[in-house]
Amino acid sequence: PSSTAVRFYGPGTVLEIAGHVLESPMVYHVAGTLRDPFDASLIEAGLPVAKPDRGYVGELPYWPTYRGASPEQRQQYLAWLTSGRCRTDVAISYPFIYFYGLERRVLIDGCDHEAILQEVLRLLPIYQSNNSFRRYASTFLWTIVMTAIGRVSLSPDMLRLAITSTSFWNEENLSVLLANYQANGHPLPPEVALLVADHDPRAPRSIVIRRHHERFTELFIRRYVGRFGDGMVLRAGKNPRRYSYTPASATLRHEFAGGRTSQLTLPNTLGLSSQFKPLIEIWSSAIEDLKHFDKAHRKSSSETMTAAMYESLPQELRCEDHPDFEAWYSAINRHVDKDGWSLVPVGDLASIRGISERTRLTKTQCEDLLKCADSMDLAVEPDARMTGQNYRWDEVVSVFPREDELNLHDKSYHAASILLRLGMSVAAADGNIDESEVSTITMHLE
């Protein structure tokens, strides 16, 4: 037969040879024997195959081929294929022969990208103990993704698997990943945005990231989603980026000689570094805002979340209740009047905070108490930060759920406070405050 009779048996096919039934074998096969070599992985049915467990197997050479193998070695290779291509008690040469065919199918035929990507991802953890196989398979993984650009759109799940299976990132495989999103018009997922920022030389480094890696990751992702929603859309530079790949197969190395690999190009997203500046800003802000938590964390004698640690967390990470939540709400509920208003003695709240009884709280203690209320989305009136007057221990304050953000620089608050006190003092001058007087004061203030 001629080389035109060679067929690739891909997903869903069945191949019977020498007593072996191969389901979805992902191999090249030809009936008979070719006159000239076609590919190192090609199974030529005309070549003899020994019976199982017969004869000395021996070792395959450094550049193994199915044609160059002995009948006993061909038998062992077919047995490895039949067993599901997952046995580790065989020489690594057999998985390599198989791997050569996967390379050809993608690089020469340009077909079955997703199926072969899935197969390489399956093989990697099985044979990763072999440095040579791990290196070639890891590089080929991203070559599959690269050659798929403009031909097929890989599923998001497969792309995520490729990302999680990659232990080492460099400019080349990162370029392939970003080019895939750019060419298909897909927004950049948060996890990939984090990966890009992590490998950008402009991104600052900090011990905070290592100490609080999970919180840093969550904070970055939340801020990225808050800024870009579904994700930022990438742009590519005018000049494409060259991509080179050195095949593991000696056959393909020979076919690629003469510049075939230098013709591989992809959109150059990394060439427009300015588009990633927002990611650096998010990265830097996450580090800065976690430094306060890191400081409180190091002061604590245990890993249990303390009030100080909770209040130093960025707002986006306060997903649980404040450690003093139950104590505060217990104090609030004890002092609810018949109209539903909670009028709590300052001393009750200060005691929860660990402040010893005193005639008047210091400015720092007042601010600390109000910071605690802020972190529980509670408002306290009067607010000592706005009035400029420190709380007395026996002073009564109103505590209620906060509806709006407090503007500490709102000058109208102080004026409204004076008018409220003045109005109520006048209304109380006759010893009785009626609803009409309260209504008039309220309308005036509003």
Side-chain angles (χ1 to χ4, degrees):
S2 69
S3 59
T4 57
V6 173
R7 177 187 171 188
F8 182 79
Y9 284 77
T13 61
V14 177
L15 173 63
E16 295 186 26
I17 179 171
H20 295 276
V21 178
L22 311 179
E23 298 182 358
S24 300
M26 310 282 279
V27 296
Y28 286 94
H29 172 270
V30 67
T33 306
L34 299 183
R35 184 178 63 181
D36 299 316
F38 173 78
D39 187 83
S41 68
L42 176 64
I43 297 175
E44 298 177 77
L47 297 175
V49 177
K51 292 183 179 181
D53 303 321
R54 294 287 181 89
Y56 173 69
V57 175
E59 293 185 2
L60 286 161
Y62 184 80
W63 300 105
T65 66
Y66 184 85
R67 171 178 278 200
S70 68
E72 291 76 19
Q73 290 167 339
R74 295 188 194 112
Q75 165 62 39
Q76 190 160 28
Y77 175 61
L78 294 175
W80 176 79
L81 290 174
T82 306
S83 67
R85 309 184 293 271
C86 59
R87 284 171 48 196
T88 56
D89 59 344
V90 297
I92 197 63
S93 301
Y94 296 103
F96 261 117
I97 293 176
Y98 174 68
F99 183 77
Y100 298 157
L102 302 181
E103 284 186 314
R104 169 173 284 275
R105 187 60 172 168
V106 169
L107 297 173
I108 303 299
D109 298 348
C111 299
D112 295 322
H113 289 80
E114 183 144 340
I116 291 176
L117 177 60
Q118 186 174 6
E119 180 67 357
V120 173
L121 288 169
R122 186 188 68 84
L123 292 170
L124 254 174
I126 299 174
Y127 301 104
Q128 64 180 346
S129 59
N130 183 275
N131 292 332
S132 182
F133 187 87
R134 184 179 67 252
R135 185 175 67 255
Y136 278 114
S138 298
T139 307
F140 181 52
L141 185 154
W142 289 105
T143 303
I144 299 171
V145 177
M146 196 284 298
T147 53
I149 296 174
R151 294 184 178 182
V152 294
S153 180
L154 299 174
S155 68
D157 288 341
M158 289 304 302
L159 211 51
R160 276 193 291 270
L161 281 173
I163 293 170
T164 55
S165 299
T166 302
S167 57
F168 175 76
W169 290 94
N170 54 31
E171 194 171 311
E172 194 152 77
N173 55 17
L174 191 58
S175 294
V176 172
L177 175 60
L178 298 182
N180 188 276
Y181 286 107
Q182 189 276 330
N184 291 303
H186 297 157
L188 199 65
E191 297 78 10
V192 180
L194 177 66
L195 186 66
V196 174
D198 188 20
H199 289 81
D200 195 308
R202 298 170 296 177
R205 304 293 124 183
S206 173
I207 189 80
V208 170
I209 300 175
R210 183 168 60 83
R211 285 177 179 161
H212 312 288
H213 181 71
E214 289 185 7
R215 284 192 170 89
F216 176 82
T217 300
E218 183 182 353
L219 182 57
F220 180 95
I221 289 175
R222 284 179 178 272
R223 289 186 173 177
Y224 175 79
V225 172
R227 183 164 180 175
F228 292 102
D230 293 335
M232 66 184 298
V233 178
L234 298 178
R235 295 171 289 118
K238 292 182 179 179
N239 298 321
R241 180 187 180 92
R242 287 190 176 184
Y243 182 88
S244 61
Y245 174 71
T246 303
S249 168
T251 308
L252 294 184
R253 286 191 180 198
H254 176 73
E255 291 190 33
F256 275 172
R260 179 74 179 270
T261 52
S262 64
Q263 297 174 13
L264 300 174
T265 60
L266 68 157
N268 189 11
T269 53
L270 285 180
L272 292 178
S273 60
S274 59
Q275 67 181 322
F276 301 112
K277 187 178 178 181
L279 303 185
I280 308 305
E281 293 172 354
I282 296 173
W283 176 281
S284 302
S285 71
I287 291 176
E288 288 302 314
D289 290 349
L290 276 176
K291 283 182 178 178
H292 303 292
F293 173 78
D294 180 61
K295 184 178 180 180
H297 182 269
R298 285 184 285 115
K299 283 185 177 180
S300 176
S301 58
S302 69
E303 290 297 317
T304 304
M305 181 69 73
T306 64
M309 289 165 59
Y310 184 91
E311 291 160 20
S312 63
L313 274 175
Q315 188 67 40
E316 299 95 327
L317 299 184
R318 296 177 184 175
C319 302
E320 301 175 355
D321 288 337
H322 190 287
D324 294 340
F325 177 85
E326 294 294 339
W328 269 67
Y329 270 83
S330 176
I332 292 170
N333 290 330
R334 283 198 308 270
H335 298 284
V336 175
D337 64 15
K338 60 182 179 61
D339 295 322
W341 289 97
S342 181
L343 303 173
V344 187
V346 168
D348 286 20
L349 302 177
S351 298
I352 297 172
R353 197 66 176 171
I355 300 173
S356 301
E357 184 174 350
R358 55 191 297 140
T359 304
R360 187 179 289 272
L361 273 59
T362 66
K363 180 180 179 182
T364 300
Q365 289 171 334
C366 291
E367 291 177 348
D368 189 51
L369 203 63
L370 292 165
K371 179 183 177 183
C372 181
D374 290 342
S375 64
M376 289 185 273
D377 283 329
L378 293 174
V380 177
E381 288 295 346
D383 191 306
R385 294 169 299 190
M386 303 291 283
T387 64
Q389 297 179 11
N390 297 347
Y391 296 124
R392 299 185 311 277
W393 187 267
D394 58 354
E395 184 174 347
V396 174
V397 293
S398 178
V399 185
F400 52 92
R402 185 176 61 196
E403 294 182 1
D404 301 303
E405 290 297 321
L406 184 67
N407 181 5
L408 294 176
H409 303 289
D410 186 358
K411 296 180 180 180
S412 65
Y413 179 98
H414 190 57
S417 176
I418 293 174
L419 282 173
L420 174 62
R421 291 173 184 272
L422 174 61
M424 295 302 287
S425 297
V426 171
D430 60 357
N432 180 48
I433 302 175
D434 58 43
E435 288 296 327
S436 63
E437 290 173 321
V438 174
S439 177
T440 301
I441 294 169
T442 302
M443 289 175 62
H444 185 72
L445 287 173
E446 290 178 349

